[in-house]
Amino acid sequence: MPTNDALLGMLPEHLLLGGIVAAIITVLLRQGRTLVLPVAVLSVLAAAGAAFWLGGAGTTVEPFPGQFVVTPPVLMTKGMLLLLAVPVLLMSRTEFEDGEFSILLLSSLYGMSLLPSAASALVLFLGLELMSIPVYALIVLAFRRPASAESALKYIVLSGAASAMFLMGLSLIYGETGSLSVAAFAQSVSATDPLTRTALVLVVSALFLKGAVVPFHAWAPDTYEGASIPVTAFMATLSKGGVMLVAWRLFDGAELTGPLVGIVAALPLVSIVWGNIAAIRQQSLRRMIAYSSIAHAGYLFYALLGSSSGRLEAITFYVVVYAAANLLAFAVVPTAATDEERDRLDRLDGLFHRDPLAASLIAVAMLSLAGLPPLPGFTAKFLIFRSVVAAGYSAYAVLGLIGSFLGLYFYLRVIQRMFMSAGEGARTTGNGQALARVAGVLCLLATAVLTIAPGWALARL
């Protein structure tokens, strides 16, 4: 392993690690509130900048042969996802004061950055767990309601069960092939023996559980509702994106065949329909977003049905668009005296008359999540369904498209509440809210760029 390759290929990870160390030292020096957040933001920006620089230069290296691979599309994917962490950090200023949030978030981002470069199941599992474990602590870090502890416990138990299933499936593949490489897993997709098929079902089920696909979705609404807004925003966007990177890495180069097609088509389809229907009845903003994320997980896993050559492009673009819209909505949610009160959907009634900017930003986010043109949510869904049709699964694409129309109601209901309803006056600004507004503006700019020039972003994936 040439030293230069290790330093260059893992530069984004090294910068994140440096940020973690610097943040810990800052906290130990009792400067948590004033300096940790800037340190974390600068670390993430530096890591994203390094990824874009290396990707633009066409860097292709293998710092650890058979374990860690760096290519331009992988680097661009890392850079885009890391940039989305900046709004989350800015939003955290209103909820977290002592610096622990920034340290845990950087740790989770470090694990996430390993996933697209993983060339072996060992690194893949390591990255997945490094991404997931800090989230357990993040859920209870800002203890806002009694349900937070229960939410964290549910997340730990079910995430642990998913990890066990994932490991069991990978161990069976290793027993069959004698290799831990992701290429060996991809080659096993076309196998017909019962043991390998069992292993594939275990791995796919674990990914469904991590991604909250029906019927493995039970933890998501409770966990999202019990966590604070910045943590919910992170779980609903970047954490879900990390799971999809694991799925892409494992199935990269493989075309789904046999019963696996039915599993990957049927359960995500049910997830699309059930997530959109269940979201209609919610009176909690975070529970509504949770069921929305269940539906969007279905769209994302649909990408596995398409051709292998376009999966990373479709998944990355969808995750970026979906994350930008969700973060845009979360960043400008009106403040309230208690967390439960802030989470109520009726707090949005008449918001346009009290805070036109916040209402307009949330409306843009809802329309993008609904997939209405010309916003980038439409382009993202188009890429997914186009790949499914091109792969010959037109019936699944049509059913998924019909299911997506069910989501229009609850997204438009939010807009109706803000613009066409009368509500009590509510404070929409407070201490630290200026940074949250900055986060919202950044997400709006990202959404605008993806709306005007989606081809520019896709050309770099």
Side-chain angles (χ1 to χ4, degrees):
M1 177 195 67
T3 303
N4 289 339
D5 285 353
L7 292 175
L8 189 67
M10 297 193 71
L11 184 57
E13 287 78 12
H14 294 329
L15 290 170
L16 285 174
L17 186 59
I20 294 170
V21 174
I24 292 173
I25 293 173
T26 304
V27 169
L28 293 176
L29 294 176
R30 303 183 182 278
Q31 299 295 321
R33 180 172 176 81
T34 56
L35 291 180
V36 172
L37 182 60
V39 167
V41 171
L42 288 175
S43 172
V44 171
L45 288 174
F52 286 132
W53 171 63
L54 293 172
T59 304
T60 301
V61 294
E62 195 169 358
F64 301 94
Q67 303 292 329
F68 195 89
V69 178
V70 172
T71 62
V74 163
L75 288 164
M76 290 298 182
T77 296
K78 285 185 187 183
M80 290 182 184
L81 293 181
L82 287 172
L83 277 183
L84 290 169
V86 174
V88 178
L89 286 167
L90 296 178
M91 290 162 53
S92 71
R93 183 62 180 269
T94 59
E95 304 266 356
F96 304 93
E97 299 182 357
D98 298 325
E100 289 88 348
F101 177 88
S102 297
I103 295 170
L104 290 169
L105 186 70
L106 288 176
S107 302
S108 185
L109 289 174
Y110 184 88
M112 186 190 71
S113 68
L114 296 176
L115 297 176
S117 293
S120 75
L122 197 62
V123 177
L124 202 61
F125 180 75
L126 178 65
L128 185 60
E129 291 306 296
L130 285 176
M131 182 187 73
S132 301
I133 290 173
V135 180
Y136 307 154
L138 285 174
I139 296 172
V140 292
L141 189 59
F143 200 88
R144 296 289 182 263
R145 59 175 78 181
S148 298
E150 180 185 349
S151 299
L153 180 61
K154 288 179 178 178
Y155 188 76
I156 290 172
V157 171
L158 292 174
S159 186
S163 297
M165 293 168 61
F166 189 70
L167 277 178
M168 186 63 189
L170 293 178
S171 67
L172 292 176
I173 294 293
Y174 176 69
E176 280 290 299
T177 65
S179 173
L180 285 173
S181 70
V182 293
F185 183 92
Q187 291 169 4
S188 300
V189 170
S190 58
T192 58
D193 61 285
L195 187 61
T196 303
R197 285 190 171 180
T198 300
L200 293 173
V201 170
L202 284 171
V203 170
V204 171
S205 298
L207 293 174
F208 283 172
L209 185 51
K210 289 278 189 181
V213 171
V214 174
F216 307 99
H217 68 291
W219 63 269
D222 293 340
T223 303
Y224 284 28
E225 186 180 27
S228 63
I229 279 184
V231 178
T232 301
F234 179 71
M235 289 193 298
T237 56
L238 293 175
S239 184
K240 192 175 292 291
V243 173
M244 290 311 304
L245 288 177
V246 174
W248 165 73
R249 211 68 183 95
L250 287 172
F251 291 94
D252 185 31
E255 305 295 338
L256 302 190
T257 59
L260 197 59
V261 172
I263 295 173
V264 174
L267 293 184
L269 177 60
V270 174
S271 190
I272 291 170
V273 174
W274 174 247
N276 285 328
I277 291 176
I280 294 173
R281 301 181 56 191
Q282 305 308 312
Q283 298 303 316
S284 159
L285 175 64
R286 272 169 261 181
R287 288 188 74 88
M288 188 195 80
I289 294 296
Y291 282 106
S292 168
S293 76
I294 290 168
H296 285 283
Y299 301 127
L300 282 165
F301 275 101
Y302 250 39
L304 297 180
L305 295 174
S307 172
S308 174
S309 59
R311 278 182 199 150
L312 181 61
E313 175 189 83
I315 288 173
T316 301
F317 188 82
Y318 198 105
V319 168
V320 170
V321 168
Y322 166 72
N326 269 298
L327 294 174
L328 174 59
F330 278 124
V332 294
V333 171
T335 58
T338 64
D339 188 67
E340 290 90 340
E341 185 181 356
R342 189 183 187 190
D343 194 34
R344 294 204 317 260
L345 270 178
D346 57 18
R347 288 273 301 170
L348 299 179
D349 290 351
L351 179 62
F352 178 74
H353 305 292
R354 305 189 302 273
D355 192 337
L357 176 61
S360 300
L361 293 179
I362 293 174
V364 171
M366 293 298 110
L367 292 173
S368 184
L369 289 171
L372 295 178
L375 293 169
F378 170 79
T379 307
K381 286 183 179 177
F382 174 78
L383 288 173
I384 296 287
F385 288 125
R386 184 186 67 176
S387 67
V388 174
V389 171
Y393 303 112
S394 301
Y396 291 129
V398 171
L399 291 173
L401 188 61
I402 293 173
S404 71
F405 284 113
L406 297 173
L408 292 176
Y409 175 79
F410 69 86
Y411 290 125
L412 296 179
R413 183 184 63 158
V414 173
I415 297 175
Q416 183 271 331
R417 280 180 174 274
M418 295 187 298
F419 288 83
M420 302 175 65
S421 298
E424 298 180 359
R427 294 181 181 178
T428 57
T429 58
N431 294 333
Q433 280 298 103
L435 284 179
R437 289 298 175 97
V438 171
V441 171
L442 292 176
C443 293
L444 179 64
L445 291 175
T447 301
V449 170
L450 294 171
T451 299
I452 298 170
W456 176 82
L458 290 171
R460 283 152 179 79
L461 294 175

